[in-house]
Amino acid sequence: MTDVVALAPRVDRGTPLLGVPTGRPMLSWKTETAAPDWLQAAYEIDVTDAAGEALWQSGRVDSEESVCVGWAGPALASRQRARARVRVWGVDGSASDWSAPADFETALLDPTEWTADFITPAWEEDASVSNPPPIFRRTFAVPAAVTTGRLYATALGIYEVRVNGAIVGDRVLAPGWSSYNKRLRTQTYDVTGAVHAGENTIEVTVADGWYRGFLAWGGKRNTYGTQAGLLVQLELLLADGTSQTVVSDGEWTVATGPVWKADIYNGEHYDARVVASDWGPVAVLEHDRSVLIADDAPPVRQTEELRPVEIVTTPSGKTVVDFGQNLVGWTRITVNADPGTTITLRHAEVLEGGEICTAPLRNAQATDVYVARGDPDETWEPRFTFHGFRYVEVDGWPGPLGVGDIVALACHSDMTRTGRFASSNDMVNQLHENVVWGMRGNFVDVPTDCPQRDERLGWTGDIQVFSPAGSFLFDTDAFLASWLADLAADQLPDGVVQFVIPAVLGDHTPTAAWGDAATLIPWTLYQRYGDAALLERQYPSMRAWVECLRSRLDERHLWSRGFQFGDWLDPAAPQEDPSAARADKHLVATAHVARSATVLAESAAVLGKVDDVAQYRELAATVTAAFRDEFVTPTGRLMSDCQTAYGLAIVFDLLEGDQRRRAGDRLAQLVAADDYCIATGFVGTPLVCDALCATGHVDVAYQLFLQTKCPSWLYPITMGATTIWERWDSMRPDGSVSSSGMTSFNHYALGAVADWMHRTVAGLAPAAPGYKAITIAPRPGGDLTAASAELDTPYGLAASRWRIDGDGFEVEAVVPPNTRATVIPPNGAGPSVEVGSGTHTWRWPA
Ligand code: BGC
């Protein structure tokens, strides 16, 4: 019998194993086997505590389930250490051994377990400006060696902890950004090796961050409060059998240190000559503890170091470092300078006329300043800001700047990379790489529109269109689940979803495609990860959004009134009015009501909410009929005769009878009439290639996709882009930068087409939640002679790889254990085939 190996289970949504945010984590596991067509017949889960005592033993459960299996044992307590293992049986009679264990520990799960106080400096501050970040300090004696040390922490601001001088942990920008007044995330750190018997010092710097720094445009600050705050609880188990707890309280002291200014948009200023002294008293800050929750998102970390590709002198004589890649994070410098030498680092995404172009940053200064101490090889990097940049202008450097003196550090939420794509076309590959970098730069704790200007907000529409592509590239389940919790927390009582989450713009206007993040993202996560628990958790928010939409319908069941962003950034819209798209705003809005109602009905079906299934199907049908009445002629022409309108009608399935075929034909004509240039904004961009392919126009989809003239997906590649741009023409063919006041070079929305590249060009798509069933349906086209997509699904590696050689079209499909795939050859080259796990190849005539 072939070997069957069950892998160590993934705990909950794959958040770090220290500080698991729930006492009832889901478990998922993969099975590895060379046995063909392997399906799971049964599993057994065994969870014990650190001493090996049973916490939950499932016994043998006859089930194919291996993804997001719900916790059926007694709930775990806070600080509980546990070891989970699984074993599986196959329908072929095979059996695995116990898997390797997943060792994990729960966080502080209940706010009442915090005995610490929030503390703040006792000094007076002018909160209308950036002040030097306070450093909170406590020294304490430990009577014996530490056998287990845990530090629980959060802050009102961005914090960094040092124990005995060394930074604790490898996360940056903690506690991240959430709707702080409803969900303040707390982190857990292992400090066993950092705290020792004898005298110890803990110091925590708390910078303004999102909490009270500049946020959104217009010089706004203090969004959540005016005072920095710290909450820390250090719990030690000692070798002598006793325990010790050190908490933030009135005993701590506070001072300022070398950082004299730190702001997310503006940058960090650091004087290395300064040593914190003058320790003064702290004050206890009253703060609602019921908002404390254990961190449920992946940590932000430095994930890559990039060396300069070139250092140039600009026409005006400035020194500019080119990292060759637009990225998000900061730089680290190493310098030998006289004490007091001031080095200034200004960040920019592009050059214009050979100089750094900072106009797109609007009011974000994106400038770090370092004043040297005068030591040999001083090394410094900021810790409380981040920048979106490819270029850094360096001023004040002593002597010539060398490529070894400065590195760029890319920082983002450290999600597991899961999906890859490759093809025979280098420009297409570069486009895909740009999508990946765009995602890395904009998944910095919150899914943002852009990472560089005075914005960087969790715009709902942007992530709504991008989440399918993003959920292939990386495991986004925990990241987006955490953000969706904020979306629900910030949802208004009448169901309105605010424009940005965390909600900091104070708006109260529902708008299509943006607010639909509430319904469409949980559905995407369910499709991609099989996370029905998330669907259940978000269901009230999803339903409230659809009820909000219902309340906005007019007597003819259309969403015909009120503000809409519409097909934002249609390339034909005037620069100063990105919402003036070719697609009628109310057509876009009504189509989204139908789509959200459909998704809600389908979600209700998954969750067994029978009454809701019927009522939301009916709502969807009513709105769909109204859409047809108002916007579609009987023969399938749309009132807005443009790419986005046809994309919506076809992909959202709003047409009937022969209308769909005719609409597809009309879309193909329009694309040809547009000279195969793109004519869609945020709404239509993810849909247009799918709509063409679904109606038999694969060739036209490829002509559109492979266009290199402006506007198109590949045009930015011809201009040297290394990320996805906000506008189709963020940089014009003559190298000038769009001067609209809204021009970013790192906006993921238009990269949403990557989802089509994965599903259709390479041909790998989910056919059942979590890829329990897979569709392998590559659709070759254009000048491509090969393409592949590989995805680490919740069940294991799946792949679709094809190439054309000579007269043959060859497909290789990798199907993970415990799944099945349907392979559909292009152009009816052969019959569809059903296969089980294993690697399969076919050759059909090209
Ligand atoms: C953002 C967008 C966002 C839009 C709202 C812009 O400022 O950068 O990407 O979705 O506003 O339409």
Side-chain angles (χ1 to χ4, degrees):
M1 174 85 36
T2 324
D3 275 354
V4 174
V5 177
L7 301 188
R10 160 188 154 123
V11 179
D12 212 44
R13 299 193 168 94
T15 40
L17 293 173
L18 180 62
V20 169
T22 166
R24 310 185 66 83
M26 300 182 289
L27 297 175
S28 308
W29 55 88
K30 294 170 184 165
T31 302
E32 283 182 351
T33 177
D37 303 337
W38 192 87
L39 287 175
Q40 180 183 295
Y43 66 82
E44 183 174 355
I45 294 172
D46 171 63
V47 186
T48 53
D49 68 10
E53 290 294 318
L55 292 170
W56 171 34
Q57 280 161 340
S58 71
R60 181 181 158 128
V61 180
D62 291 329
S63 167
E64 269 190 41
E65 245 194 313
S66 59
V67 168
C68 293
V69 175
W71 185 268
L76 301 174
S78 292
R79 311 177 181 86
Q80 175 71 60
R81 272 201 237 179
R83 161 168 287 202
R85 307 183 300 168
V86 294
R87 59 177 168 175
V88 298
W89 292 267
V91 293
D92 59 1
S94 59
S96 76
D97 284 335
W98 284 107
S99 69
D103 288 313
F104 64 99
E105 184 178 310
T106 55
L108 289 192
L109 301 175
D110 190 326
T112 61
E113 289 163 312
W114 288 86
T115 55
D117 288 322
F118 278 94
I119 54 175
T120 192
W123 62 59
E124 288 284 312
E125 265 179 3
D126 172 3
S128 66
V129 296
S130 296
N131 289 285
I135 307 172
F136 297 92
R137 181 176 208 250
R138 176 84 155 91
T139 51
F140 56 97
V142 175
V146 176
T147 55
T148 307
R150 292 292 180 263
L151 180 87
Y152 303 97
T154 192
L156 310 176
I158 297 174
Y159 73 89
E160 182 171 81
V161 185
R162 285 173 191 261
V163 171
N164 298 320
I167 295 176
V168 170
D170 59 0
R171 62 165 68 230
V172 294
L173 305 174
W177 184 18
S178 51
S179 301
Y180 293 132
N181 40 8
K182 293 150 193 156
R183 298 176 73 241
L184 178 57
R185 284 147 54 202
T186 66
Q187 283 81 35
T188 306
Y189 301 87
D190 181 4
V191 290
T192 309
V195 183
H196 46 69
E199 188 85 343
N200 292 271
T201 306
I202 177 169
E203 288 183 348
V204 189
T205 305
V206 180
D208 291 353
W210 298 278
Y211 187 85
R212 64 172 193 154
F214 288 96
L215 198 56
W217 48 89
K220 278 184 255 170
R221 48 182 291 117
N222 300 314
T223 305
Y224 296 94
T226 55
Q227 288 177 289
L230 173 68
L231 185 75
V232 163
Q233 190 154 314
L234 175 64
E235 300 185 352
L236 306 173
L237 298 178
L238 306 180
D240 64 6
T242 63
S243 62
Q244 184 178 358
T245 305
V246 178
V247 299
S248 49
D249 60 17
E251 303 293 299
W252 287 50
T253 56
V254 64
T256 58
V259 183
W260 85 84
K261 190 168 152 181
D263 182 80
I264 288 177
Y265 293 166
N266 295 330
E268 184 170 320
H269 296 199
Y270 190 99
D271 187 340
R273 297 168 304 177
V274 175
V275 177
S277 56
D278 269 346
W279 295 94
V282 299
V284 169
L285 189 68
E286 282 312 314
H287 196 83
D288 180 7
R289 269 151 214 269
S290 69
V291 300
L292 297 174
I293 56 142
D295 198 350
D296 52 0
V300 179
R301 292 200 179 99
Q302 294 179 353
T303 62
E304 192 173 335
E305 219 174 278
L306 289 89
R307 292 172 63 86
V309 294
E310 202 181 0
I311 298 181
V312 298
T313 304
T314 69
S316 74
K318 303 276 190 199
T319 301
V320 170
V321 184
D322 177 2
F323 287 100
Q325 172 64 53
N326 196 17
L327 67 112
V328 174
W330 51 78
T331 62
R332 181 194 300 138
I333 56 171
T334 305
V335 66
N336 288 284
D338 292 335
T341 305
T342 300
I343 296 161
T344 305
L345 308 163
R346 294 175 72 207
H347 301 76
E349 295 187 292
V350 290
L351 301 180
E352 194 178 26
E355 306 288 343
I356 59 163
C357 177
T358 55
L361 306 179
R362 301 195 303 222
N363 289 321
Q365 285 158 26
T367 301
D368 296 331
V369 177
Y370 181 71
V371 182
R373 188 169 39 239
D375 290 349
D377 288 335
E378 281 176 65
T379 292
W380 177 76
E381 62 184 83
R383 307 290 295 178
F384 305 106
T385 186
F386 62 88
H387 312 296
F389 66 102
R390 169 174 165 170
Y391 300 95
V392 181
E393 184 184 285
V394 182
D395 194 38
W397 195 268
L401 179 68
V403 288
D405 298 334
I406 183 165
V407 294
L409 303 166
C411 301
H412 53 87
S413 292
D414 197 5
M415 304 163 292
T416 305
R417 179 76 193 265
T418 46
R420 291 174 197 274
F421 171 92
S423 79
S424 55
N425 181 317
D426 290 342
M427 286 181 95
V428 168
N429 295 344
Q430 182 66 47
L431 173 71
H432 194 264
E433 199 50 23
N434 293 1
V435 175
V436 173
W437 272 102
M439 175 165 183
R440 291 175 70 183
N442 282 295
F443 276 58
V444 179
D445 209 59
V446 159
T448 54
D449 56 335
C450 59
Q452 73 298 78
R453 66 181 178 224
D454 51 356
E455 188 149 3
R456 316 186 197 184
L457 305 176
W459 279 98
T460 47
D462 305 45
I463 187 60
Q464 187 274 107
V465 298
F466 185 71
S467 57
S471 298
F472 174 92
L473 299 173
F474 287 86
D475 178 352
T476 62
D477 195 25
F479 177 93
L480 288 175
S482 181
W483 181 79
L484 284 166
D486 289 316
L487 182 148
D490 281 337
Q491 209 165 349
L492 298 169
D494 59 357
V496 170
V497 174
Q498 304 198 46
F499 293 169
V500 300
I501 302 295
V504 293
L505 297 183
D507 54 277
H508 190 152
T509 315
T511 177
W514 273 250
D516 294 290
T519 43
L520 303 185
I521 297 177
W523 186 243
T524 294
L525 298 178
Y526 175 60
Q527 297 306 321
R528 301 307 174 96
Y529 305 113
D531 194 347
L534 180 67
L535 205 57
E536 177 96 59
R537 193 196 77 189
Q538 290 301 120
Y539 191 80
S541 153
M542 299 168 76
R543 193 176 191 275
W545 171 245
V546 173
E547 284 304 322
C548 164
L549 295 178
R550 191 204 295 271
S551 75
R552 307 291 154 146
L553 296 177
D554 66 16
E555 48 306 328
R556 287 178 302 137
H557 310 290
L558 302 167
W559 190 0
S560 60
R561 286 185 286 256
F563 172 82
Q564 294 291 345
F565 286 122
D567 188 27
W568 187 253
L569 285 170
D570 175 334
Q575 213 178 233
E576 60 296 344
D577 187 3
S579 74
R582 279 165 274 202
D584 180 82
K585 285 183 183 166
H586 300 118
L587 179 155
V588 171
T590 305
H592 279 84
V593 180
R595 178 74 191 135
S596 268
T598 300
V599 161
L600 187 66
E602 289 182 37
S603 305
V606 172
L607 301 172
K609 301 180 191 295
V610 186
D611 294 347
D612 280 7
V613 178
Q615 75 153 308
Y616 293 110
R617 277 199 186 137
E618 192 187 320
L619 177 63
T622 307
V623 175
T624 302
F627 178 93
R628 281 199 295 266
D629 268 4
E630 183 76 2
F631 301 117
V632 190
T633 68
T635 57
R637 276 283 180 120
L638 273 117
M639 170 221 163
S640 293
D641 198 25
C642 64
Q643 295 184 18
T644 291
Y646 288 96
L648 281 167
I650 293 165
V651 176
F652 287 5
D653 204 11
L654 305 175
L655 305 174
E656 62 184 356
D658 207 29
Q659 283 179 335
R660 184 179 168 87
R661 183 184 62 79
R662 286 165 173 269
D665 291 349
R666 178 63 189 159
L667 173 58
Q669 278 172 9
L670 284 172
V671 172
D674 286 320
D675 205 10
Y676 302 96
C677 282
I678 193 77
T680 57
F682 281 19
V683 165
T685 296
L687 308 176
V688 60
C689 288
D690 273 313
L692 287 165
C693 292
T695 51
H697 300 286
V698 174
D699 50 336
V700 179
Y702 270 94
Q703 275 176 279
L704 176 65
F705 177 59
L706 296 175
Q707 175 63 270
T708 55
K709 268 195 318 204
C710 186
S712 69
W713 281 291
L714 297 186
Y715 160 69
I717 312 294
T718 69
M719 299 297 290
T722 60
T723 38
I724 300 296
W725 297 349
E726 176 171 27
R727 293 174 177 271
W728 294 109
D729 64 346
S730 283
M731 182 180 281
R732 302 190 195 93
D734 66 0
S736 62
V737 170
S738 163
S739 54
S740 61
M742 202 192 78
T743 302
S744 134
F745 290 88
N746 200 352
H747 240 73
Y748 48 54
L750 301 180
V753 70
D755 190 47
W756 174 79
M757 295 163 70
H758 307 142
R759 287 183 292 100
T760 306
V761 176
L764 179 65
Y771 292 82
K772 178 76 172 121
I774 300 170
T775 302
I776 308 257
R779 293 292 172 264
D783 64 357
L784 269 63
T785 55
S788 65
E790 298 184 357
L791 178 67
D792 189 13
T793 74
Y795 294 88
L797 181 74
S800 172
R801 310 182 179 111
W802 63 260
R803 62 195 181 97
I804 297 169
D805 70 62
D807 55 354
F809 178 76
E810 208 168 275
V811 174
E812 182 180 80
V814 179
V815 181
N818 206 21
T819 70
R820 290 177 191 283
T822 306
V823 182
I824 308 170
N827 305 324
S832 297
V833 200
E834 300 281 329
V835 291
S837 65
T839 300
H840 313 270
T841 51
W842 293 269
R843 200 179 158 88
W844 294 294

